[in-house]
Amino acid sequence: MAAFSKYLTARNSSLAGAAFLLLCLLHKRRRALGLHGKKSGKPPLQNNEKEGKKERAVVDKVFFSRLIQILKIMVPRTFCKETGYLVLIAVMLVSRTYCDVWMIQNGTLIESGIIGRSRKDFKRYLLNFIAAMPLISLVNNFLKYGLNELKLCFRVRLTKYLYEEYLQAFTYYKMGNLDNRIANPDQLLTQDVEKFCNSVVDLYSNLSKPFLDIVLYIFKLTSAIGAQGPASMMAYLVVSGLFLTRLRRPIGKMTITEQKYEGEYRYVNSRLITNSEEIAFYNGNKREKQTVHSVFRKLVEHLHNFILFRFSMGFIDSIIAKYLATVVGYLVVSRPFLDLSHPRHLKSTHSELLEDYYQSGRMLLRMSQALGRIVLAGREMTRLAGFTARITELMQVLKDLNHGKYERTMVSQQEKGIEGVQVIPLIPGAGEIIIADNIIKFDHVPLATPNGDVLIRDLNFEVRSGANVLICGPNGCGKSSLFRVLGELWPLFGGRLTKPERGKLFYVPQRPYMTLGTLRDQVIYPDGREDQKRKGISDLVLKEYLDNVQLGHILEREGGWDSVQDWMDVLSGGEKQRMAMARLFYHKPQFAILDECTSAVSVDVEGYIYSHCRKYYLHMDGRGNYEFKQITEDTVEFGS
């Protein structure tokens, strides 16, 4: 025991105590994360993701298979722009490594000239360094240029791919209204994609350069101090890397949680902007402030915990990846010099020993730093695993939705079933859609919401082109649900639906959508200028459509067809609804679906429109029953 007593100093005891305390904090934090995941039964705001199906975010073979899948999207061919930038970065990394080796050797010669008091050698090697400065600077900046361009190229490729899937048919609608696996797709499509691309490129650079350094320095050092030194450093890399990778496992899961909370915080702020007028009328600023602060507090608490975890890991990373690696480097480089019988320096002078030590020592120091960077890159790789899991989940959900599959919590039909009525199993997509012109026919179609709540068990009626049908009934009876099924936004759970193709049905909602663009774009939406020309419809005809809905004055008021405004704010509620009716006249569909689209229109205009729509009526009572009859003089009262 006496032999060890000299190590029990106050300094060593303090260091050991600090290390033990940090390890305890790290262990306590990991346990708290596990308990929080088990206890938190309340779902976060606007987050319908399934709690039981968590994405893994660790560095394993699943992570690498996901990463390869995404890389095939970002680098689609062997010969493409992205490959060119990858090659440029690789060449610049090799050049930079050789520049570092040359600078070590040239710097050693400059110092040797100073110590040897040789003015000639000092000037010669100093001028060599000055002459090489522009080339070294060019290499460094070419490397930065290649990295930034590659990040941008990756982001463009991945964003285009995701938006091709997201804006295919009605996938963007289905993700928010039918499927509940992803809560904030806007967060994933913007911030997460950018962070993922930046992380991939940074990892490529942070791993490639150290690997090149290690290979080159091993070759140089093996000839200088033997193979045992570099082999010892590599063994240390493997052991420390495995140990730190195990400790860093929670980073991936914490990254996923951080991005989820960021998405929720972004959502409540955008929701506040979108509904600012309604909130102002209700004087709801205090209530909204509570909501915003609540979501922000949850994000801040998680970030505090993440900072504490990274502080603990940073302490351990610094010791293992930097300082202990330097200690191993000193032990390795000192062997040939401290061993007096080593054949390399039996006849070396003091200046030769000094020059050899400087050169070998600096190379070994650079090699130990490269090993440290590789070990620390594991931290970024674990964080990348979190982004990869989120992007892969988004890709899988988009793929499922584009193939007609969605996951949602379904209403139990046993609980909703009525006594004496046979319970029909509801399978999304079980019905058949038949495309035919000039007819809409529901043949034994169950009208049900996406979560399986049955509104009408067996709907049967037929409407021919030219007939006008008034659909009425109390709130929640299924009027809008009928339109969503007809527009193929909701799945068909059974029966046969005969209808024209999508472009020959036109839906006019209660709150019309005004697109970004010119006044002309508002009338012809979703067509563009080229579509208008192809249809042979002139601006004079568009003016007639505006006159039909008493909006002709708006052309002069807003400065012509090419005027660009924020039309959602510029137009009043009634003007937006009448603009939607002008849009209907432009498209001339076989069937028009008017979903309370005149609630903000004056009574005289509304009466003019509906005077032509009183031939048939479909009345729903809200209890699963309906009637489809012709309107006669005896038909006096309709539902809302």
Side-chain angles (χ1 to χ4, degrees):
M1 293 297 292
F4 295 100
S5 61
K6 60 182 180 179
Y7 296 107
L8 297 177
T9 62
R11 181 184 176 186
N12 291 344
S13 300
S14 301
L15 289 173
F20 178 74
L21 178 62
L22 283 169
L23 286 173
C24 289
L25 285 171
L26 184 62
H27 180 67
K28 183 179 179 181
R29 174 65 198 141
R30 293 186 66 180
R31 286 189 62 188
L33 281 172
L35 290 173
H36 179 71
K38 292 177 183 177
K39 291 181 180 179
S40 59
K42 289 176 68 177
L45 182 67
Q46 288 296 321
N47 185 12
N48 299 320
E49 297 177 48
K50 295 186 177 180
E51 294 296 323
K53 192 177 179 181
K54 291 288 185 183
E55 286 292 331
R56 294 181 61 188
V58 294
V59 180
D60 54 8
K61 62 180 182 180
V62 176
F63 159 69
F64 285 109
S65 65
R66 288 171 173 171
L67 187 60
I68 290 170
Q69 180 186 357
I70 301 175
L71 286 175
K72 288 179 181 177
I73 297 169
M74 298 191 297
V75 188
R77 297 180 301 278
T78 304
F79 299 101
C80 60
K81 185 166 62 173
E82 290 77 14
T83 308
Y85 283 121
L86 286 168
V87 172
L88 173 66
I89 292 169
V91 171
M92 290 302 107
L93 287 172
V94 173
S95 303
R96 186 173 171 181
T97 301
Y98 274 103
C99 288
D100 290 343
V101 173
W102 181 85
M103 288 178 68
I104 290 173
Q105 294 173 339
N106 192 72
T108 303
L109 292 172
I110 292 173
E111 292 169 354
S112 179
I114 294 172
I115 294 171
R117 296 183 174 183
S118 172
R119 191 181 297 271
K120 179 183 177 182
D121 288 346
F122 172 72
K123 287 183 177 179
R124 175 187 171 189
Y125 295 120
L126 184 62
L127 288 174
N128 286 345
F129 176 72
I130 294 172
M133 283 194 301
L135 180 62
I136 295 170
S137 177
L138 190 65
V139 168
N140 288 332
N141 282 281
F142 258 121
L143 179 60
K144 292 178 182 177
Y145 169 79
L147 290 171
N148 290 329
E149 283 290 338
L150 187 61
K151 288 176 183 178
L152 185 59
C153 289
F154 278 178
R155 186 179 180 186
V156 169
R157 290 276 189 189
L158 189 55
T159 300
K160 283 185 176 179
Y161 172 83
L162 292 174
Y163 272 105
E164 282 292 327
E165 297 290 316
Y166 185 62
L167 296 175
Q168 182 177 331
F170 300 131
T171 304
Y172 55 92
Y173 173 85
K174 294 176 182 177
M175 180 171 287
N177 295 274
L178 301 188
D179 197 279
N180 59 3
R181 282 176 285 180
I182 291 181
N184 299 296
D186 58 328
Q187 171 83 9
L188 281 160
L189 289 165
T190 53
Q191 292 190 7
D192 283 18
V193 166
E194 181 187 9
K195 290 180 180 178
F196 171 81
C197 295
N198 291 346
S199 184
V200 167
V201 175
D202 288 340
L203 192 65
Y204 171 65
S205 172
N206 293 338
L207 285 178
S208 301
K209 177 68 165 64
F211 271 123
L212 288 170
D213 288 350
I214 288 169
V215 171
L216 188 60
Y217 290 137
I218 283 177
F219 175 75
K220 295 282 186 181
L221 287 168
T222 301
S223 61
I225 60 175
Q228 188 176 0
S232 302
M233 295 295 293
M234 293 301 296
Y236 178 77
L237 167 67
V238 173
V239 173
S240 60
L242 290 173
F243 174 71
L244 290 176
T245 300
R246 179 64 184 174
L247 290 182
R248 294 189 190 114
R249 289 173 74 92
I251 291 179
K253 187 183 292 185
M254 296 176 83
T255 301
I256 291 178
T257 306
E258 177 189 347
Q259 295 308 307
K260 186 175 69 175
Y261 288 167
E262 289 280 7
E264 291 172 9
Y265 181 57
R266 181 176 174 174
Y267 168 78
V268 294
N269 279 281
S270 63
R271 180 173 165 273
L272 180 61
I273 295 169
T274 304
N275 303 288
S276 58
E277 183 176 335
E278 292 85 348
I279 294 169
F281 276 125
Y282 279 115
N283 197 23
N285 53 303
K286 292 184 179 179
R287 179 67 182 84
E288 295 303 318
K289 183 166 67 174
Q290 290 175 1
T291 302
V292 172
H293 284 177
S294 173
V295 176
F296 184 63
R297 193 181 308 115
K298 185 166 57 174
L299 171 63
V300 169
E301 286 176 359
H302 176 76
L303 291 176
H304 276 311
N305 292 331
F306 204 174
I307 289 170
L308 177 62
F309 180 80
R310 282 187 290 191
F311 166 76
S312 307
M313 281 304 306
F315 176 80
I316 299 171
D317 282 342
S318 298
I319 290 177
I320 294 176
K322 292 182 180 179
Y323 306 126
L324 279 181
T326 305
V327 170
V328 174
Y330 276 126
L331 291 173
V332 169
V333 79
S334 65
R335 288 186 68 256
F337 296 92
L338 297 180
D339 185 1
L340 301 180
S341 61
H342 198 280
R344 180 176 176 81
H345 298 301
L346 288 176
K347 298 180 180 180
S348 298
T349 64
H350 183 268
S351 61
E352 289 174 342
L353 282 172
L354 196 60
E355 183 178 335
D356 192 17
Y357 172 76
Y358 274 156
Q359 190 165 320
S360 300
R362 287 178 180 177
M363 284 188 182
L364 199 60
L365 181 63
R366 292 291 181 91
M367 182 178 171
S368 66
Q369 290 173 349
L371 292 171
R373 286 198 301 272
I374 289 178
V375 172
L376 292 176
R379 178 175 57 195
E380 297 304 317
M381 192 178 293
T382 309
R383 186 168 172 80
L384 175 62
F387 292 122
T388 306
R390 283 175 63 83
I391 298 294
T392 308
E393 183 187 18
L394 175 63
M395 291 168 57
Q396 185 60 50
V397 171
L398 290 172
K399 182 179 178 182
D400 289 346
L401 292 175
N402 285 325
H403 286 84
K405 302 175 185 175
Y406 70 88
E407 292 183 14
R408 192 178 183 89
T409 306
M410 302 293 286
V411 174
S412 173
Q413 294 303 302
Q414 281 71 27
E415 294 175 7
K416 296 287 290 183
I418 302 172
E419 214 175 306
V421 178
Q422 184 181 1
V423 176
I424 305 171
L426 294 176
I427 303 172
E432 180 186 4
I433 297 178
I434 302 170
I435 302 299
D437 285 338
N438 303 313
I439 185 174
I440 292 176
K441 183 178 181 181
F442 283 79
D443 187 12
H444 298 290
V445 174
L447 187 61
T449 61
N451 65 348
D453 191 6
V454 179
L455 304 173
I456 297 177
R457 295 187 173 276
D458 191 17
L459 183 61
N460 295 277
F461 73 92
E462 178 181 324
V463 179
R464 293 281 176 178
S465 186
N468 301 309
V469 180
L470 189 62
I471 300 176
C472 52
N475 292 334
C477 67
K479 299 188 294 295
S480 296
S481 302
L482 176 69
F483 300 151
R484 291 176 185 132
V485 171
L486 190 58
E488 300 180 41
L489 299 181
W490 284 6
L492 200 62
F493 287 96
R496 284 189 297 275
L497 171 60
T498 306
K499 59 181 284 295
E501 60 186 21
R502 290 175 180 172
K504 296 177 181 178
L505 280 171
F506 200 80
Y507 179 72
V508 184
Q510 183 177 359
R511 295 179 62 186
Y513 172 69
M514 298 290 112
T515 186
L516 298 174
T518 64
L519 179 61
R520 181 188 295 104
D521 293 331
Q522 310 313 309
V523 181
I524 66 177
Y525 184 81
D527 284 356
R529 187 83 167 96
E530 296 302 319
D531 298 312
Q532 179 192 348
K533 291 179 180 178
R534 190 167 54 250
K535 289 180 177 180
I537 300 177
S538 66
D539 288 346
L540 289 175
V541 178
L542 293 185
K543 176 65 165 60
E544 291 178 12
Y545 296 154
L546 289 181
D547 289 335
N548 290 342
V549 294
Q550 301 177 12
L551 276 182
H553 64 282
I554 206 172
L555 189 61
E556 183 179 352
R557 187 186 80 186
E558 300 301 335
W561 289 113
D562 295 319
S563 173
V564 177
Q565 303 280 354
D566 185 356
W567 301 106
M568 291 297 289
D569 290 335
V570 168
L571 301 179
S572 67
E575 287 174 337
K576 282 185 280 192
Q577 289 190 340
R578 282 182 279 166
M579 183 67 75
M581 296 299 293
R583 205 177 279 171
L584 173 65
F585 295 145
Y586 166 81
H587 286 284
K588 299 183 179 68
Q590 291 182 8
F591 292 94
I593 301 170
L594 312 181
D595 187 4
E596 298 185 26
C597 64
T598 57
S599 58
V601 175
S602 60
V603 177
D604 55 337
V605 177
E606 185 179 31
Y608 171 78
I609 293 172
Y610 284 120
S611 64
H612 299 278
C613 301
R614 299 180 66 86
K615 190 171 183 180
Y616 295 95
Y617 73 92
L618 173 65
H619 180 262
M620 305 176 182
D621 65 359
R623 294 185 292 273
N625 303 313
Y626 72 96
E627 58 180 3
F628 181 72
K629 291 182 179 180
Q630 188 170 2
I631 298 175
T632 64
E633 294 180 359
D634 298 330
T635 309
V636 177
E637 191 174 321
F638 295 96
S640 60

